[in-house]
Amino acid sequence: SAGTSDWHAGELPNPKSIAVMNKNGIDITYQQSRPVKPADLQYFDIIYCMDAANYSNILAMAKTEEEKQKVRLILNEVNPDQNNAVPDPYGMSEEHYQGVYDMLDVATDRIIERLTKE
């Protein structure tokens, strides 16, 4: 997990995120946030963004057309070209965090399906 600012760099996930992930069999207890770096566009094959602001910020880091093609909105995997944002559940109930998990679970399943066909 990486963001386009360093506001939470080095911090552990929100306790509600940890709880929801644990309920779904994933341990992120010691995951730490870090900012996206321009080098990430060279290193990673795809960089998924949660919303338009992050998409624009990461796209601005791209130096080549090839790097720009790596930047995508994650919910477009479920609803192509709709450019929907993943809602930020910060400050909301654990149920909201579960809802975000459910959205991302569907999107990541679609990514896996697509990549296993390619």
Side-chain angles (χ1 to χ4, degrees):
S1 177
T4 56
S5 71
D6 60 0
W7 293 343
H8 299 288
E11 291 181 13
L12 298 177
N14 182 292
K16 292 175 187 171
S17 291
I18 293 171
V20 166
M21 295 300 278
N22 281 336
K23 286 179 185 176
N24 289 281
I26 302 168
D27 183 5
I28 62 166
T29 306
Y30 300 107
Q31 179 183 4
Q32 293 183 346
S33 175
R34 71 166 182 86
V36 174
K37 303 173 286 196
D40 291 338
L41 288 158
Q42 296 170 3
Y43 182 76
F44 295 107
D45 294 329
I46 302 172
I47 296 177
Y48 284 105
C49 306
M50 301 290 216
D51 61 35
N54 287 314
Y55 178 84
S56 294
N57 290 338
I58 296 171
L59 206 57
M61 292 181 199
K63 295 182 177 113
T64 67
E65 189 59 36
E66 180 183 355
E67 288 180 355
K68 289 178 184 178
Q69 294 303 313
K70 294 179 177 186
V71 184
R72 302 177 188 174
L73 287 167
I74 195 163
L75 291 184
N76 278 349
E77 293 289 340
V78 178
N79 298 303
D81 301 319
Q82 290 190 14
N83 300 333
N84 294 323
V86 175
D88 184 354
Y90 184 78
M92 296 182 180
S93 70
E94 193 171 302
E95 289 75 26
H96 287 92
Y97 282 79
Q98 182 64 51
V100 168
Y101 172 87
D102 293 340
M103 280 183 207
L104 294 174
D105 189 43
V106 171
T108 54
D109 283 349
R110 294 280 173 89
I111 293 165
I112 292 166
E113 289 170 12
R114 182 176 49 77
L115 292 176
T116 55
K117 289 178 183 174
E118 292 179 0

